[in-house]
């Protein structure tokens, strides 16, 4: 998964805002999940993100 995130950030280059970078990382993770691949400990991390960012994250 780290490779997927690094590749998406490197391809994009620069970001106008921090929210744009966050959105790109979120979309890269979602696309990675849709490919049927699971990341070890991802469900625990996703639940933690849902608690931290409940207004922006739909688990």
């Amino acid at each position: 998964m780290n490779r997927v995130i690094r590749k998406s950030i490197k391809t994009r280059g620069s970001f106008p805002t921090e929210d744009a970078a966050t959105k790109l990382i979120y979309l890269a993770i979602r696309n990675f999940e849709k490919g049927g691949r699971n990341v070890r400990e991802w469900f625990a991390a996703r639940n933690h993100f849902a608690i931290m960012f409940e207004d922006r994250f739909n688990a």
Side-chain angles (χ1 to χ4, degrees):
M1 181 162 78
N2 289 336
R3 180 177 54 86
V4 171
I5 293 171
R6 275 195 319 267
K7 183 178 178 184
S8 63
I9 291 172
K10 185 178 180 182
T11 303
R12 177 71 168 104
S14 63
F15 301 95
T17 64
E18 187 175 322
D19 289 336
T22 304
K23 184 176 181 180
L24 182 74
I25 292 170
Y26 172 76
L27 292 173
I29 292 170
R30 295 293 285 186
N31 287 336
F32 184 78
E33 284 182 330
K34 286 182 182 179
R37 296 166 282 204
N38 289 326
V39 177
R40 184 178 14 170
E41 305 294 328
W42 170 242
F43 292 110
R46 187 173 65 180
N47 291 336
H48 185 70
F49 291 142
I51 292 168
M52 288 177 54
F53 305 109
E54 65 186 43
D55 56 333
R56 296 186 289 170
F57 193 89
N58 296 327

